[in-house]
Amino acid sequence: LNQPASSAPNPEVDDEIVVGGRPISVRRYVEADVGMKFPKTSLTEKIFAQPWPEEYPFPPRAFQRQDESDDGDFYSMPRFVYHIDEGAVRALTNYYKENIPAGSSVLDICSSWVSHYPEDFPKTMSRISGTGMNALELEANRQLSDFKPRNLNIDPKLPYEDASFDVVTCVVSVDYLVKPLEVFREVNRVLKPGGKFILSQSNRCFPTKAIAMWLGMDDIQHCLVIGAYFHYAGGFEPAEAFDVSPQGPRTNDPLFIVQATRQS
């Protein structure tokens, strides 16, 4: 008997990217209704209710790492993989879809071969720029209109003019920054007044490259640290935090958003 074709969407596709003139086969998540739900729970009052200490609370040792060797060596080989699972990827894409207006100029820092934006963003956004450690990964990122490789742990200065972007994003990478205040101040500089810095965070990392204090903290404490970066960097409105962890099949990784708006 002939069996009817399945109408269930395929959440992954085999794809081919060209890197350095060579084709490479990859597996890519595609936008599809796969039965997941994307709730959004505010954590702002729970996390940021207490006043901040007058002095920056994180000593230099908090930013030490197990592996202090050159980050350029660690990231020299491109990794064409996802660093969060399918559910977290879809939750992040959904969040961007609901919170980044059409026509925005967007910068993705600490970027890679995927930025997790909705598929139509290259057409609906005025510009999507990217910085990241690996030039080959950035070259393979089809959503970027332009890119400039940067190691922000060596030089936190972003290679863009003042007030260039409406939105800056950073996906599961803030835990690797050893000079977070300098980076956050640079993001503030390149954001337009009223522009937004959106950071997403899960519970995965390269532990040898994550900063020391991160490894001993839970998800809520991670959000608190990011909020502290916003506060002590200056120039931002008070941070907001959300639990946007997905629900449904293939949803294992949590996902949290911490964001703040550049003061006008």
Side-chain angles (χ1 to χ4, degrees):
L1 295 175
N2 292 329
Q3 297 294 323
S6 173
S7 61
N10 187 355
E12 291 184 87
V13 297
D14 292 312
D15 198 4
E16 185 175 271
I17 56 178
V18 178
V19 179
R22 301 177 58 186
I24 296 177
S25 297
V26 296
R27 293 283 286 175
R28 186 188 297 275
Y29 294 130
V30 295
E31 286 188 62
D33 183 354
V34 294
M36 296 181 188
K37 295 181 180 179
F38 306 112
K40 176 183 175 183
T41 302
S42 176
L43 301 173
T44 303
E45 292 187 8
K46 175 182 179 179
I47 297 177
F48 302 135
Q50 299 299 317
W52 296 103
E54 184 174 342
E55 299 293 330
Y56 188 54
F58 307 127
R61 66 178 181 275
F63 300 96
Q64 294 175 348
R65 300 170 296 168
Q66 296 174 19
D67 179 4
E68 293 286 6
S69 65
D70 188 348
D71 292 336
D73 293 337
F74 184 83
Y75 294 104
S76 62
M77 290 295 293
R79 296 174 172 89
F80 298 112
V81 298
Y82 288 88
H83 299 287
I84 47 179
D85 70 6
E86 180 188 346
V89 167
R90 295 188 184 281
L92 183 56
T93 300
N94 181 74
Y95 189 85
Y96 287 154
K97 182 182 299 183
E98 294 182 347
N99 291 275
I100 300 181
S104 294
S105 180
V106 183
L107 169 63
D108 192 28
I109 67 169
C110 306
S111 190
S112 67
W113 74 288
V114 289
S115 289
H116 310 298
Y117 299 132
E119 292 174 5
D120 64 353
F121 263 33
K123 295 180 180 179
T124 61
M125 298 296 137
S126 65
R127 173 188 183 186
I128 302 178
S129 302
T131 66
M133 287 290 298
N134 189 287
L136 294 178
E137 290 186 18
L138 297 173
E139 178 187 344
N141 190 329
R142 296 172 179 168
Q143 294 192 311
L144 301 180
S145 52
D146 60 87
F147 66 85
K148 296 180 180 179
R150 280 294 185 277
N151 182 347
L152 298 179
N153 281 343
I154 292 179
D155 182 6
K157 185 173 178 59
L158 294 171
Y160 304 102
E161 298 295 325
D162 295 359
S164 296
F165 298 99
D166 300 292
V167 178
V168 176
T169 59
C170 180
V171 180
V172 295
S173 296
V174 70
D175 43 324
Y176 304 120
L177 297 179
V178 300
K179 302 175 182 178
L181 294 192
E182 290 92 330
V183 172
F184 274 56
R185 287 165 182 154
E186 274 294 291
V187 170
N188 185 276
R189 180 185 65 79
V190 302
L191 275 173
K192 300 175 184 177
K196 188 173 292 185
F197 187 14
I198 302 173
L199 297 102
S200 52
Q201 200 60 46
S202 188
N203 59 358
R204 299 195 193 193
C205 68
F206 296 120
T208 60
K209 282 298 185 182
I211 58 173
M213 69 173 172
W214 197 267
L215 299 178
M217 294 179 170
D218 62 24
D219 294 327
I220 297 300
Q221 291 171 318
H222 292 159
C223 293
L224 181 62
V225 167
I226 299 170
Y229 293 164
F230 276 120
H231 175 77
Y232 292 102
F236 290 98
E237 299 293 342
E240 302 173 290
F242 302 97
D243 183 346
V244 295
S245 302
Q247 298 175 355
R250 301 184 300 280
T251 58
N252 295 305
D253 291 355
L255 189 69
F256 300 89
I257 299 290
V258 184
Q259 63 186 31
T261 299
R262 180 187 164 180
Q263 293 175 345
S264 299

